[in-house]
Amino acid sequence: MALYLVSRTDRHDYDEYDAIVVRAGDEATALKIATNGTEHERTDGSKRWDSDFEGFERDGSNLTVERLESRGPAGRVLASFNAG
């Protein structure tokens, strides 16, 4: 397993994620984790997608995945704050 940085490629707004770090076996699995969510059926029969990470597109079209080196000095990996 490795660490992967999944980042937005578009503009983000308040109360949205712009990046996450996940542990996965490969880039495809990292992207799958980042685009996970739940589909809900509304009373009118239409469907709504609730992403686990607000702002990440379901199809991953606004995301990039980068494998992070596991070696290096101790320190912060990611601090991404976009509160509204």
Side-chain angles (χ1 to χ4, degrees), residues 51-83:
S51 174
D52 287 351
F53 303 102
E54 190 66 37
F56 284 23
E57 294 294 336
R58 186 176 187 180
D59 63 0
S61 60
N62 69 336
L63 302 173
T64 60
V65 180
E66 175 187 352
R67 184 181 172 130
L68 300 175
E69 289 296 324
S70 59
R71 295 181 187 186
R76 185 172 298 139
V77 174
L78 175 67
S80 181
F81 182 74
N82 299 298

Side-chain angles (χ1 to χ4, degrees), residues 4-83:
Y4 290 89
L5 171 64
V6 182
S7 304
R8 298 262 305 262
T9 58
D10 59 350
R11 252 184 80 146
H12 55 79
D13 206 348
Y14 295 118
D15 300 328
E16 289 184 344
Y17 288 86
D18 63 29
I20 60 171
V21 173
V22 299
R23 183 180 310 281
D26 55 37
E27 287 185 13
T29 303
L31 187 60
K32 185 175 182 177
I33 293 166
T35 58
N36 192 47
T38 307
E39 190 170 73
H40 301 279
E41 188 165 340
R42 297 178 176 157
T43 55
D44 65 0
S46 65
K47 298 187 187 284
R48 186 181 105 214
W49 178 255
D50 284 331
S51 174
D52 287 351
F53 303 102
E54 190 66 37
F56 284 23
E57 294 294 336
R58 186 176 187 180
D59 63 0
S61 60
N62 69 336
L63 302 173
T64 60
V65 180
E66 175 187 352
R67 184 181 172 130
L68 300 175
E69 289 296 324
S70 59
R71 295 181 187 186
R76 185 172 298 139
V77 174
L78 175 67
S80 181
F81 182 74
N82 299 298

